[in-house]
Amino acid sequence: MFAGDNVFAADDLSCSDEHGCSSWNAPYVDNCADSETVGLDCALDSEGLSHTATASISFDGQARSVQMRIAGGGSRGVLELNIDGGGWDAVCDDGFGQAEANWFCSRLVLG
């Protein structure tokens, strides 16, 4: 799977430092078009930026092991997730705002 294949790893994410990150959808289930791919810019936090990080994210009420990365490895680009080893794919921008961007960038910086 890859960005641009009209399949997304996650949709409708909601994240906060206090409560973590979750989606009421199951992984790899979405209603998104390719134009809704999340582009992430962690440039301000790029010192110490890890190529991948792992966190627990709740999907449809179940905690899942999620690897995250910025496609291409830099500090800016398409945010991709690999949920429970299901393959790397992009995140849909439905519900994705500054709080979610901060949450993912902070995890990628911490590694």
Side-chain angles (χ1 to χ4, degrees), residues 7-106:
V7 174
F8 289 84
D11 187 15
D12 298 310
L13 286 170
S14 176
C15 306
S16 72
D17 286 333
E18 184 178 334
H19 299 290
C21 209
S22 65
S23 173
W24 61 79
N25 291 321
Y28 303 102
V29 174
D30 68 85
N31 61 351
C32 303
D34 282 344
S35 62
E36 295 178 272
T37 300
V38 167
L40 195 59
D41 183 352
C42 298
L44 295 176
D45 303 319
S46 62
E47 187 174 323
L49 190 70
S50 175
H51 291 288
T52 63
T54 303
S56 178
I57 297 177
S58 176
F59 288 91
D60 196 25
Q62 293 186 338
R64 305 293 187 116
S65 176
V66 179
Q67 291 178 289
M68 61 192 80
R69 70 181 182 192
I70 295 175
S75 62
R76 299 177 186 171
V78 173
L79 174 61
E80 293 182 325
L81 304 180
N82 182 350
I83 304 165
D84 292 335
W88 290 101
D89 226 320
V91 174
C92 180
D93 69 0
D94 291 351
F96 199 95
Q98 192 61 51
E100 289 72 28
N102 292 344
W103 193 89
F104 280 98
C105 284
S106 70

